[in-house]
Amino acid sequence: MKDLAVYIHIPFCDKKCYYCDFTSFSGLDKRIEEYIEYLLLEMDLYRETLKEYNIKTIFLGGGTPSYIDGSYIVKIIRTLFEKYNCSLVEEITIEANPGTLDREKLMQYREAGVNRISLGVQTLNDQLLKSIGRLHTAAEAIENIKLIRELGFSNINVDLMFGLPDQTVADCISTLEEIVDLGVEHISYYSLILEEKTMMNRWFEEGKIRLPDEDVERDMYHEGVNFLKSRGYEHYEISNFCKPGYQCKHNLFYWTLKPYIGFGISSHSNIEGKRFCNYNTFKDYFDSIDRSKVPVLEVEDIDSHMEMAEYVIMGLRLIGGINKEDFKGRFGRALEDVYGKVIDSSMRAGLLVDDGTYVRFTDKGLDLSNMVYVDILP
Amino acid sequence: MQDIKQENIRNFCIIAHIDHGKSTLADRLIEKTGMLTSREMQNQVLDSMELERERGITIKLKSIRLNYKDEDGEEYILNLIDTPGHVDFNYEVSRSLAACEGALLVVDATQGVEAQTLANVYLAIDQDLEIVPVINKIDLPSARPEEIKQEIENIIGIDASEAPLISAKDGINIDAVLKEIVSKIPAPKGNKEAPLKALIFDSYYDSYKGVVAFIRVFEGTLKPGMNIRMMSTNKSYEVTEVGVTTSKHIPVDRLEAGDVGYVVASIKNVKDARVGDTITDDDNPTAEPLPGYKKVVPMVYCGIYPAEGEDFNAVRDALEKLQVNDASLVFEPENSAALGFGFRCGFLGLLHMEIIQERLEREFDLNIVTTAPSVIYRVKTKSGEMLSIQNPTSLPDETEIEYMEEPIVDSSIMTPTDYVGPIMELCQSRRGVFKGMEYLEETRVVLKYDLPLNEVIYDFFDALKSKSRGFASLDYELKGYQQSDLVKLDILINGDLVDALSIIVHRDKAYERGRKIAEKLKDEIPRHLFAIPIQAAIGSKIIARETVKALRKDVLAKCYGGDISRKKKLLEKQKEGKKRMRQIGSVNVPQEAFLSVLKYDE
């Protein structure tokens, strides 16, 4: 039996944030019930494959999973437990946005077995929240964190962003400080990425918003990292921090290239040597399931060379780096045999270090990881 | 082919400024004389190359025979000889004019006479051609035919009172043009019994027949089976085919004095059928060739390099193929430390250069890097030698140079009076020497300047167009060489001299150019792991400096399960971009950077 991570996509939001390019819809509430039905039907299509796997983590992401009625969440998790091997599940995470959570929903989650809440706080500066299209205030976010705690959840993640329009380093640190004071176990502190086809990208190109320059943006990152470390958080992935023992088990599946399956529109899977993604419209997704066909839009065959490259690219995101023995164990070849040249030149450029057991990024390497990745790609 | 008497032949060409409707009128004449069915008729048949069509200009000239029957039932042969319309091709124009007895002068009824037109009209007058003015585009609401007629009379000094008012686009009054051709243009003269004298006015390479030379027979008769001699090279060939061109080549049994047609004689290279050369009978040669033959020499040089080293052979093959049809293109292999192996190529002028570059990219699908164009400088060394330098990197050390000379052109710029100020400023800033100003009419003048050619090839056309909102036009010809205070301007990237970026400039311009190039390179070169100094230098003296700051961020902030494929695509794109760059020392330089020395950006 192999380990498996399960991702479930809930593509509904109250309102799309200006920086978001995920598949999510607002104003389509009438579709929710139907979508959940299809989601369960999709799971059914994989029953044979999943017999071989032990589900270890479940992650409900979005969109805003906390936006829909709590009973749907319960139903999804119950179904998974009824039909698949879930006896060894260690982590069940649900993404939530401040303002969509209430006592009742949290109780339902808890009943269903959710043991980790990931809250999209982004910043505790109300002006900034408004400018990036969030519907909640800093006060609501703080209220929500306290409520989650009150209901007994002992593993809370908070998502925070930096590099926002007109944001300052001091602003980033003050948000981090408030969040740390609330005692959350896990913090994702990531840089704004301007994705094509988002409102913010358009405004940026039209010159309507100003983003911090590269130097300031890097200061936000490094000062943030230093602050979080000083407060006892382990920096374990480029943008992720946690109190000891609280690494996100689900995401580790991604970073160590272990099998995962995604259910729901536009979700991605990597299982049985293939990577595939689902249709990204309701119509295509429903039609396919109606015909009892898996709703897969694209399949990418991953050959061993690509798999090695992905393993290195994802693995180096972890601050601890890649265990050379693990690499050899998985691929039957020494890491140096395959990537010796890139590793050497990157070490000379001060981007990588090799301590004999692990190969990992230096601080400088973390800022410039793509320069190494470009040479890793086949 | 029916026999038509010599006095019923008319050989003519069309002179017009770009966009004044030469090709459209040619189409209408062809259509009207029924040479092509409308199905065969593709717009503007004379401009056959894709590039020509896009630019609306004619590069290669060709001829077409039209059969015309007038109102009295008299039959005529009208040979229309196409001419290129750009200053780079002056010599070709003069040769095709020499093949004619008359020229239609097409003038746009809204815009009037332009510098280019004027230059070509004078060429035609020099060849004793009968000029038949035609006013085109009378369909446009802003047409002012009477004023334009007056303008033609004032500026060119020919009678325009009977000029047909036409619209080639709408097919208005085309008959009148045909009548004018027959009545105004003289028939050719020449004895068909005399020793052969035929002028080559164009040629191209056909992979089945070899070189096809377009000719005008002045004396004698040309038949298959004859041995002919090229008078400039004294090489002989046996004629395998003669013919005339309608919509296609039609073989005939002979071409006689007065005729325009083509000859095929197993000639392997267009260099052996040079434009302007005289063909004679090898067994009964004429004593004197036709006047005016000139071996064309390139005026502008630049380096052309394959963007990817392995394409070197492909670039050579493509240049060879182009050269087969273009005797004025020269090239030889050269080696640049920055760009690797490539070619030094010589052109008639800037437009010719751009056309060749575009053809390499489009027709041969090659990715090339071009260095800044250079003129030919003369360098007198201290040891008394006179060198011709067309590549800045071959310039001797400053200490060995006695003096340098640069080519100067005699230029005429025609412009509406509104733009005289800015244009004079431009010429001044390009080291022009004012020679005079002539009023053509109240609102238009011709400015005469002596300009260094190296200033003209440096983005002068674009600057002129932008200073005059597109209204000014330029004509120039080489005047001669002049001593000048020239220096070699070098560019160093991260301390390494980049030979492909070196240029020769006037000392007074060196600082400004150096600063601008450094600024542009700063924007073009991506940030690296380390800071990159960019310096402009004359000899060992640094005259400008910029720095590309070290890269601080090149990271994917987020990458979870659903992101992998997409992020991989981003990385692949980045990898592709990196591949297309040139490595100079430890710096990756994008190809665009090499263009930064070409554009002025005023």
Side-chain angles (χ1 to χ4, degrees):
Chain A
M1 290 285 265
K2 290 169 274 184
D3 291 347
L4 181 72
V6 172
Y7 175 82
I8 290 161
H9 192 66
I10 307 294
F12 302 99
C13 280
D14 197 357
K15 180 192 159 198
K16 202 164 174 97
C17 302
Y18 301 142
Y19 54 84
C20 173
D21 77 334
F22 285 114
T23 308
S24 71
F25 306 91
S26 55
L28 271 182
D29 297 2
K30 61 178 190 300
R31 276 268 156 96
I32 295 174
E33 184 162 2
E34 193 183 10
Y35 178 74
I36 302 299
E37 274 170 36
Y38 276 91
L39 199 55
L40 302 182
L41 289 171
E42 188 198 355
M43 293 177 185
D44 231 23
L45 296 173
Y46 289 93
R47 195 163 350 171
E48 284 307 310
T49 319
L50 294 194
K51 278 184 179 156
E52 312 288 316
Y53 289 90
N54 266 324
I55 296 173
K56 299 290 289 244
T57 67
I58 297 168
F59 194 105
L60 294 120
T64 313
S66 61
Y67 176 67
I68 66 172
D69 198 275
S71 62
Y72 294 125
I73 303 297
V74 173
K75 200 167 172 186
I76 291 166
I77 296 172
R78 288 240 169 95
T79 308
L80 274 170
F81 270 80
E82 277 163 23
K83 294 188 174 164
Y84 308 108
N85 310 316
C86 287
S87 55
L88 300 175
V89 167
E90 293 173 359
E91 182 187 278
I92 302 176
T93 307
I94 185 165
E95 287 186 328
N97 272 343
T100 62
L101 274 182
D102 55 38
R103 191 173 289 269
E104 193 198 337
K105 273 183 187 164
L106 284 165
M107 277 163 63
Q108 284 171 305
Y109 298 162
R110 201 179 57 194
E111 289 303 303
V114 171
N115 58 11
R116 186 171 181 269
I117 307 280
S118 174
L119 195 67
V121 174
Q122 315 312 352
T123 167
L124 292 177
N125 176 329
D126 280 338
Q127 219 178 327
L128 281 177
L129 282 170
K130 213 171 155 190
S131 77
I132 60 175
R134 305 290 292 183
L135 290 172
H136 58 86
T137 61
E140 279 175 292
I142 292 165
E143 282 305 307
N144 271 189
I145 293 170
K146 288 179 178 160
L147 181 66
I148 294 165
R149 199 53 106 202
E150 189 190 317
L151 283 162
F153 290 95
S154 60
N155 190 353
I156 301 175
N157 168 60
V158 165
D159 279 346
L160 296 174
M161 292 172 93
F162 62 91
L164 298 175
D166 297 317
Q167 197 177 22
T168 62
V169 177
D171 179 277
C172 294
I173 300 301
S174 104
T175 290
L176 283 172
E177 208 153 12
E178 275 185 81
I179 293 297
V180 166
D181 287 344
L182 290 165
V184 300
E185 285 71 27
H186 192 284
I187 293 173
S188 289
Y189 180 60
Y190 57 94
S191 172
L192 169 75
I193 306 173
L194 276 186
E195 303 283 3
E196 269 178 275
K197 294 177 196 162
T198 59
M199 292 305 282
M200 275 186 79
N201 189 49
R202 199 161 109 197
W203 292 333
F204 179 72
E205 280 176 357
E206 288 169 355
K208 287 181 182 157
I209 52 172
R210 252 177 335 176
L211 294 178
D213 76 20
E214 203 171 282
D215 291 335
V216 172
E217 196 264 3
R218 280 299 95 183
D219 290 346
M220 289 173 173
Y221 179 66
H222 290 290
E223 292 196 21
V225 169
N226 290 338
F227 172 77
L228 287 169
K229 281 181 174 171
S230 76
R231 298 292 293 264
Y233 286 83
E234 178 198 352
H235 184 199
Y236 76 101
E237 194 262 1
I238 290 181
S239 307
N240 284 282
F241 304 80
C242 66
K243 289 187 173 171
Y246 283 94
Q247 298 187 347
C248 175
K249 295 190 171 80
H250 182 83
N251 286 340
L252 281 170
F253 267 75
Y254 300 142
W255 295 321
T256 55
L257 224 65
K258 286 186 184 157
Y260 56 88
I261 190 162
F263 296 117
I265 65 169
S266 80
S267 63
H268 291 66
S269 306
N270 183 9
I271 185 170
E272 307 281 299
K274 286 186 174 55
R275 179 190 321 292
F276 49 93
C277 70
N278 278 356
Y279 289 116
N280 44 28
T281 66
F282 287 116
K283 186 178 181 307
D284 292 339
Y285 178 74
F286 293 170
D287 284 355
S288 182
I289 293 169
D290 280 339
R291 288 179 284 117
S292 298
K293 285 185 63 183
V294 292
V296 172
L297 170 68
E298 257 181 337
V299 182
E300 189 189 352
D301 268 313
I302 307 290
D303 63 20
S304 68
H305 245 92
M306 186 55 91
E307 192 184 336
M308 283 191 279
E310 288 185 0
Y311 185 86
V312 173
I313 288 171
M314 295 306 271
L316 282 174
R317 294 190 66 86
L318 295 169
I319 306 304
I322 300 167
N323 185 317
K324 296 204 280 188
E325 282 308 308
D326 286 353
F327 185 91
K328 202 169 177 182
R330 177 161 175 164
F331 298 106
R333 289 176 71 184
L335 182 66
E336 288 93 339
D337 280 356
V338 191
Y339 299 112
K341 221 174 120 188
V342 188
I343 293 174
D344 279 352
S345 68
S346 301
M347 278 169 48
R348 275 198 306 278
L351 302 175
L352 283 181
V353 284
D354 178 349
D355 68 6
T357 311
Y358 284 91
V359 173
R360 62 169 170 270
F361 277 125
T362 59
D363 282 352
K364 185 175 170 190
L366 290 177
D367 287 341
L368 300 166
S369 49
N370 290 353
M371 299 192 94
V372 178
Y373 290 165
V374 160
D375 291 330
I376 296 277
L377 268 189
Chain B
M1 215 82 231
Q2 75 274 41
D3 257 349
I4 301 264
K5 290 170 297 190
Q6 199 184 51
E7 60 258 39
N8 280 11
I9 296 175
R10 299 291 182 273
N11 298 320
F12 72 104
C13 59
I14 303 177
I15 294 172
H17 186 70
I18 293 170
D19 292 338
H20 283 197
K22 177 170 77 170
S23 300
T24 319
L25 176 57
D27 289 349
R28 289 296 159 267
L29 295 175
I30 292 164
E31 210 175 45
K32 204 80 194 173
T33 52
M35 290 312 296
L36 297 176
T37 63
S38 52
R39 195 162 44 83
E40 285 174 313
M41 185 74 200
Q42 204 198 343
N43 264 341
Q44 305 188 357
V45 285
L46 285 176
D47 290 353
S48 57
M49 284 196 289
E50 179 192 3
L51 201 60
E52 292 178 25
R53 263 173 209 229
E54 261 175 44
R55 294 184 164 220
I57 52 171
T58 310
I59 303 157
K60 292 302 282 186
L61 29 101
K62 292 183 192 82
S63 72
I64 189 160
R65 171 186 281 218
L66 313 172
N67 294 321
Y68 170 64
K69 199 184 276 186
D70 74 5
E71 286 161 329
D72 305 327
E74 188 74 16
E75 291 187 36
Y76 292 88
I77 286 174
L78 311 182
N79 288 309
L80 166 56
I81 293 168
D82 200 19
T83 57
H86 191 272
V87 59
D88 286 358
F89 304 97
N90 254 336
Y91 173 68
E92 273 89 343
V93 175
S94 79
R95 293 307 83 201
S96 46
L97 294 178
C100 304
E101 276 76 28
L104 290 182
L105 168 64
V106 181
V107 181
D108 186 315
T110 65
Q111 296 191 22
V113 182
E114 307 270 350
Q116 192 66 66
T117 327
L118 205 54
N120 285 342
V121 169
Y122 288 142
L123 275 176
I125 292 172
D126 284 346
Q127 307 273 351
D128 283 331
L129 262 51
E130 182 67 31
I131 311 289
V132 178
V134 171
I135 315 286
N136 191 20
K137 302 198 186 179
I138 55 151
D139 55 305
L140 296 180
S142 53
R144 35 189 188 99
E146 288 314 311
E147 277 174 60
I148 301 295
K149 277 187 185 178
Q150 201 57 50
E151 194 179 298
I152 293 171
E153 293 185 358
N154 292 348
I155 296 174
I156 304 173
I158 56 170
D159 180 13
S161 59
E162 292 176 24
L165 305 183
I166 69 160
S167 163
K169 184 165 74 72
D170 296 344
I172 299 169
N173 237 352
I174 306 301
D175 274 328
V177 178
L178 289 163
K179 273 186 212 161
E180 284 281 297
I181 293 169
V182 169
S183 66
K184 293 270 168 65
I185 296 175
K189 295 189 193 79
N191 182 355
K192 64 181 180 185
E193 309 300 339
L196 177 66
K197 251 186 207 192
L199 172 74
I200 301 176
F201 61 84
D202 190 19
S203 64
Y204 75 93
Y205 183 80
D206 178 290
S207 45
Y208 297 105
K209 295 178 176 174
V211 172
V212 178
F214 289 91
I215 54 162
R216 156 71 194 272
V217 183
F218 281 89
E219 302 277 356
T221 301
L222 183 61
K223 289 188 285 199
M226 271 174 76
N227 285 312
I228 52 167
R229 184 192 299 173
M230 300 295 171
M231 293 188 76
S232 75
T233 60
N234 268 324
K235 288 187 184 169
S236 301
Y237 304 92
E238 191 189 324
V239 176
T240 56
E241 183 182 326
V242 298
V244 297
T245 313
T246 59
S247 61
K248 52 185 179 292
H249 291 329
I250 298 174
V252 295
D253 59 0
R254 64 183 57 214
L255 291 172
E256 293 176 348
D259 281 338
V260 170
Y262 68 88
V263 56
V264 178
S266 319
I267 303 166
K268 298 256 166 13
N269 194 306
V270 282
K271 280 185 177 160
D272 293 322
R274 290 177 184 277
V275 170
D277 202 354
T278 303
I279 296 177
T280 192
D281 185 343
D282 200 32
D283 302 321
N284 179 22
T286 179
E288 285 292 319
L290 293 159
Y293 173 72
K294 217 164 57 171
K295 193 179 167 193
V296 288
V297 286
M299 299 242 279
V300 176
Y301 283 82
C302 79
I304 291 184
Y305 288 81
E308 272 144 50
E310 62 262 37
D311 284 345
F312 176 81
N313 286 329
V315 173
R316 187 182 50 211
D317 289 350
L319 284 169
E320 274 169 4
K321 280 195 183 122
L322 290 174
Q323 200 181 37
V324 160
N325 267 323
D326 185 347
S328 46
L329 168 68
V330 300
F331 65 91
E332 58 182 31
E334 72 170 357
N335 188 7
S336 146
L339 297 175
F341 289 99
F343 299 92
R344 196 76 194 164
C345 303
F347 310 93
L348 296 175
L350 263 198
L351 179 82
H352 188 209
M353 180 179 97
E354 283 173 21
I355 287 166
I356 296 293
Q357 286 166 6
E358 285 195 45
R359 292 187 67 183
L360 286 172
E361 285 175 342
R362 286 202 211 177
E363 290 171 33
F364 297 92
D365 203 22
L366 291 166
N367 202 351
I368 55 170
V369 181
T370 312
T371 65
S374 170
V375 301
I376 303 172
Y377 298 96
R378 289 184 185 159
V379 179
K380 180 83 165 183
T381 64
K382 294 233 163 100
S383 57
E385 264 182 299
M386 194 61 145
L387 306 173
S388 284
I389 299 289
Q390 34 87 347
N391 186 343
T393 56
S394 29
L395 192 70
D397 195 76
E398 211 170 355
T399 55
E400 292 166 30
I401 297 173
E402 185 71 43
Y403 62 82
M404 283 175 74
E405 290 179 352
E406 66 177 330
I408 304 291
V409 297
D410 203 344
S411 70
S412 309
I413 298 162
M414 187 180 286
T415 174
T417 43
D418 296 355
Y419 308 111
V420 166
I423 290 174
M424 289 180 82
E425 256 171 52
L426 172 68
C427 292
Q428 226 80 56
S429 78
R430 298 304 184 90
R431 301 188 286 130
V433 176
F434 180 72
K435 288 291 174 181
M437 179 162 83
E438 276 171 42
Y439 272 84
L440 296 174
E441 45 178 344
E442 243 170 79
T443 55
R444 287 206 312 168
V445 296
V446 176
L447 290 163
K448 301 269 190 188
Y449 271 90
D450 281 355
L451 281 164
L453 183 58
N454 88 349
E455 298 282 351
V456 177
I457 65 170
Y458 178 43
D459 214 22
F460 186 81
F461 291 111
D462 288 349
L464 184 64
K465 290 289 172 198
S466 78
K467 300 265 180 212
S468 66
R469 294 170 192 245
F471 283 109
S473 53
L474 168 79
D475 188 57
Y476 67 83
E477 61 184 40
L478 189 63
K479 186 180 179 187
Y481 274 76
Q482 205 172 70
Q483 254 193 50
S484 183
D485 187 9
L486 299 162
V487 292
K488 179 160 155 259
L489 176 66
D490 291 321
I491 301 295
L492 293 88
I493 295 180
N494 204 25
D496 293 326
L497 193 150
V498 185
D499 57 359
L501 291 173
S502 293
I503 51 172
I504 292 173
V505 283
H506 193 269
R507 191 179 298 276
D508 297 348
K509 292 300 196 66
Y511 285 83
E512 188 198 350
R513 285 288 293 275
R515 204 188 64 238
K516 282 194 170 155
I517 294 170
E519 278 169 10
K520 280 210 171 168
L521 286 172
K522 182 187 156 207
D523 293 338
E524 295 283 356
I525 295 174
R527 292 169 78 170
H528 282 55
L529 279 172
F530 42 88
I532 304 165
I534 295 166
Q535 296 157 304
I538 299 171
S540 57
K541 189 176 166 207
I542 304 296
I543 58 169
R545 185 194 157 106
E546 294 283 341
T547 304
V548 180
K549 283 203 295 181
L551 181 67
R552 280 205 62 194
K553 183 195 175 196
D554 187 9
V555 55
L556 306 168
K558 271 198 300 187
C559 193
Y560 299 107
D563 299 318
I564 299 176
S565 302
R566 213 166 44 144
K567 303 282 156 132
K568 238 165 49 184
K569 274 182 198 139
L570 286 178
L571 290 171
E572 267 155 16
K573 216 164 131 188
Q574 192 171 340
K575 191 184 178 86
E576 270 309 301
K578 192 177 158 184
K579 254 205 248 162
R580 280 198 307 273
M581 289 197 226
R582 288 283 172 171
Q583 181 123 21
I584 293 173
S586 46
V587 180
N588 290 312
V589 180
Q591 286 167 33
E592 295 73 41
F594 294 95
L595 299 177
S596 59
V597 289
L598 305 183
K599 292 281 174 191
Y600 207 79
D601 240 17
E602 273 166 294

